[in-house]
Amino acid sequence: MQNTDVEQPLADMATALQHHLSEHQIKSPIMIGIHTGGAWVAKRLHQMMGIEEPLGTLDISFYRDDFTRIGMHPEVKPSKINTTVEDRHVILVDDVLHTGRTIRAALNEIFDYGRPASVILAVLVERSGRELPIEANVVGINMPLADGQHVKLEGPEQLHLVVQEDA
Amino acid sequence: MNNKNIQLNKEGRLRHFLDIEGIKRQLLVEILDAAESFSSVEAQRVKKVPLLRGKTIVNLFFEPSTRTRNTFELAAKRLSADTLNVNISASATSKGESLLDMLHNLEAMHCDMFVVRHAQSGAAHFIAQHVAPHISVINAGDGSHAHPTQAMLDMFTIRRHKQAFADLKVAIVGDILHSRVARSQIHALTTLGVTEVRVIGPKTLIPDISTALGVHVYHDMWEGLREVDVVIMLRLQKERMTGALLPSEHEYYKLYGLTPEKLAVAKEDAIVMHPGPINRGVEISSEVADGPQSVILEQVSNGIAVRMAVMSILMGQSFSSDGEAGP
């Protein structure tokens, strides 16, 4: 088991996002974090970047593609997007980009709230194992992991990453 | 009705939703939590989630209902399921087809869930016992037995206004004897930890077993409403009454109709609930029904979220119950 601190990667992400926004001349974006780890990361970035619009959170349980295999997630949380996403630039935040299926589900859900002007994807960890053509615009840590390895963000206080091997 | 566990699968998860009795607190809380999440779907521009896409849900209503059938249908549609409303009076049963033949025909049409309303107690249990194993059944009211989704939407409404169940005093007023709603509410309230459930009504409309269910019986409404947090009014079910159980509607209103004066003896922040349809001037005055303490219309909205939750939990379970990875 390996334990990684995330303070520096978070700071790097905030800088990269600011850079991306000014480069694309995006003013007043809205930020949406994916439950649960993504929302923790988003909360930190939202603070660091001083984004005015309230932070939104998404629970993608109702948009998952594996409902017919595993059924309802017992601890599904409400999605809270308090501003309209119509014609807005959205920064979508997650903790780990792995297969890409979570992001696919999140994009579908966001579009049910309205038609955003653009969506930028920011992830704390980008790892191997993509099953869909999805990539992140901003990445905190690049982590090449083997199939049997998993990375998990622990929080909400003192965020840190834990890498585990399949037993 | 003997086998209560028909509702649960081997892992103790909900397979059918027929009765609150016999379901543990944790499962009820799970329904309430899921409903809380589904209520955020209303905020979407597209008020729909793709969860039950490709599933077919049949509304089998053997007894008339507007609100319950409409909210079940809307709940199914907001989950992206296809819905079929079988109009029983016009269907083949009037041509002599048996109930089981009708069910088997619907199974042959690859339906996935039956929502059943029937005038006979135990009808939904009977159907659940005879359907194919991948089909889930929801009881949308059977005789004077149970109406579990109504009870859960009431619990959801109470939780939204009052948070903790443990310290609440809840009064259920009216025709307890004929009320499947009251029976399910009493089981739900007790399971969720409400310590003081009161039933208020004339002797002829309160069944003898009430005290056995652990509730306090009052025949005087002024006494029964004192200091309660929640007042649940029941509809006077004239269609179920045989014999002289009641003096007259006028007399009933005088004794058990909820008026602002009677409501004043409850707690100041007490909420007023009613499963509908309301008989204005029979069990409740318009002033109270439309007043600031009334949450009657909220109950209707909450009914959709709660029914979405129950449908999703059941359908999610039906895939995994036999360890199968979906159809």
Side-chain angles (χ1 to χ4, degrees):
Chain A
M1 201 169 96
Q2 175 196 334
N3 225 317
T4 312
D5 183 66
V6 299
E7 287 311 313
Q8 189 55 44
L10 280 172
D12 295 345
M13 285 174 80
T15 314
L17 275 169
Q18 296 286 22
H19 183 76
H20 183 102
L21 295 179
S22 59
E23 195 179 28
H24 292 82
Q25 291 167 7
I26 295 170
K27 292 188 181 70
S28 64
I30 59 177
M31 185 174 273
I32 298 174
I34 300 174
H35 266 298
T36 308
W40 297 337
V41 176
K43 194 179 168 197
R44 295 292 310 278
L45 293 174
H46 190 261
Q47 243 164 20
M48 288 169 160
M49 297 172 64
I51 294 175
E52 280 169 32
E53 295 281 3
L55 178 64
T57 53
L58 271 190
D59 187 309
I60 53 111
S61 299
F62 303 147
Y63 290 79
R64 293 173 69 105
D65 59 8
D66 54 3
F67 175 72
T68 56
R69 297 198 194 181
I70 61 169
M72 265 277 274
H73 195 278
E75 282 161 26
V76 45
K77 301 274 189 302
S79 293
K80 281 201 184 80
I81 300 181
N82 294 324
T83 41
T84 172
V85 305
E86 190 77 25
D87 290 329
R88 301 296 299 270
H89 295 276
V90 175
I91 304 171
L92 179 61
V93 180
D94 204 3
D95 49 358
V96 181
L97 175 60
H98 181 198
T99 62
R101 289 176 192 269
T102 300
I103 304 304
R104 195 282 307 167
L107 287 171
N108 280 27
E109 181 160 359
I110 288 172
F111 277 72
D112 279 349
Y113 280 88
R115 181 181 186 274
S118 72
V119 180
I120 304 160
L121 178 59
V123 297
L124 179 62
V125 178
E126 181 182 58
R127 63 158 293 175
S128 49
R130 215 76 69 248
E131 292 166 4
L132 294 172
I134 281 171
E135 62 176 321
N137 302 84
V138 168
V139 174
I141 306 171
N142 208 302
M143 217 181 256
L145 292 174
D147 278 351
Q149 288 183 306
H150 303 277
V151 57
K152 194 171 182 293
L153 182 66
E154 304 273 354
E157 304 307 322
Q158 296 222 315
L159 299 181
H160 61 278
L161 289 164
V162 177
V163 177
Q164 280 174 316
E165 311 269 340
D166 264 347
Chain B
M1 266 190 286
N2 301 328
N3 185 6
K4 294 270 161 42
N5 288 331
I6 186 178
Q7 298 191 87
L8 304 175
N9 68 10
K10 281 178 301 218
E11 292 85 45
R13 314 291 308 156
L14 271 185
R15 277 283 291 116
H16 304 289
F17 196 46
L18 309 172
D19 191 358
I20 303 280
E21 197 179 352
I23 297 185
K24 289 203 174 69
R25 182 187 294 190
Q26 181 211 336
L27 289 178
L28 298 186
V29 171
E30 201 179 297
I31 293 173
L32 297 178
D33 289 346
E36 196 64 58
S37 304
F38 280 116
S39 65
S40 71
V41 173
E42 287 169 25
Q44 295 180 194
R45 195 179 62 168
V46 178
K47 288 190 278 296
K48 221 170 163 71
V49 294
L51 211 54
L52 298 189
R53 214 154 59 95
K55 300 294 158 210
T56 306
I57 296 176
V58 187
N59 274 326
L60 280 177
F61 278 60
F62 296 86
E63 200 185 55
S65 153
T66 314
R67 193 179 346 261
T68 303
R69 197 179 61 82
N70 286 348
T71 50
F72 264 111
E73 188 175 350
L74 275 178
K77 287 184 163 155
R78 291 193 180 160
L79 291 166
S80 303
D82 296 308
T83 56
L84 183 64
N85 290 312
V86 180
N87 186 349
I88 305 291
S89 59
S91 83
T93 42
S94 56
K95 297 178 191 161
E97 188 186 37
S98 82
L99 174 64
L100 286 180
D101 283 332
M102 187 175 101
L103 291 178
H104 295 321
N105 273 278
L106 289 165
E107 285 173 11
M109 295 175 205
H110 302 290
C111 296
D112 302 284
M113 176 180 277
F114 295 149
V115 177
V116 182
R117 153 81 54 109
H118 202 290
Q120 198 119 28
S121 297
H125 277 80
F126 176 82
I127 290 174
Q129 272 160 344
H130 290 89
V131 290
H134 72 279
I135 292 180
S136 290
V137 177
I138 297 180
N139 182 4
D142 61 330
S144 48
H145 173 238
H147 193 352
T149 58
Q150 174 69 46
M152 288 314 289
L153 78 87
D154 295 331
M155 298 308 114
F156 184 79
T157 308
I158 293 174
R159 193 174 76 161
R160 280 208 152 175
H161 286 272
K162 301 291 176 193
Q163 281 104 38
F165 282 103
D167 309 320
L168 295 181
K169 292 186 177 68
V170 180
I172 307 174
V173 187
D175 179 5
I176 313 289
L177 182 65
H178 298 93
S179 180
R180 53 194 175 208
V181 174
R183 226 186 128 270
S184 287
Q185 283 166 340
I186 291 169
H187 283 298
L189 288 165
T190 349
T191 308
L192 289 167
V194 174
T195 42
E196 192 165 340
V197 181
R198 304 177 182 180
V199 295
I200 307 173
K203 284 196 176 75
T204 47
L205 294 180
I206 292 191
D208 299 334
I209 51 122
S210 293
T211 42
L213 289 171
V215 301
H216 306 267
V217 176
Y218 291 83
H219 300 299
D220 179 328
M221 196 169 174
W222 297 94
E223 207 184 313
L225 287 184
R226 191 169 299 147
E227 289 298 303
V228 297
D229 301 276
V230 178
V231 186
I232 302 176
M233 299 305 297
L234 297 172
R235 184 174 65 89
L236 205 54
Q237 303 194 49
K238 289 173 257 179
E239 73 275 18
R240 281 185 221 281
M241 295 213 187
T242 45
L245 291 172
L246 273 185
S248 72
E249 280 183 9
H250 180 71
E251 183 77 358
Y252 182 84
Y253 182 66
K254 219 174 95 188
L255 291 170
Y256 298 106
L258 187 61
T259 55
E261 295 74 32
K262 290 196 192 105
L263 181 56
V265 305
K267 281 201 184 130
E268 212 179 328
D269 62 350
I271 54 169
V272 175
M273 303 176 34
H274 191 301
I278 59 176
N279 295 317
R280 289 170 187 267
V282 178
E283 70 257 350
I284 190 164
S285 74
S286 282
E287 216 178 327
V288 174
D290 306 327
Q293 285 168 273
S294 163
V295 296
I296 296 171
L297 290 176
E298 254 177 72
Q299 287 173 270
V300 179
S301 313
N302 293 344
I304 298 175
V306 166
R307 287 172 175 132
M308 287 171 81
V310 171
M311 286 174 164
S312 309
I313 288 170
L314 297 185
M315 292 304 282
Q317 231 24 69
S318 72
F319 303 120
S320 57
S321 58
D322 302 312
E324 264 177 57

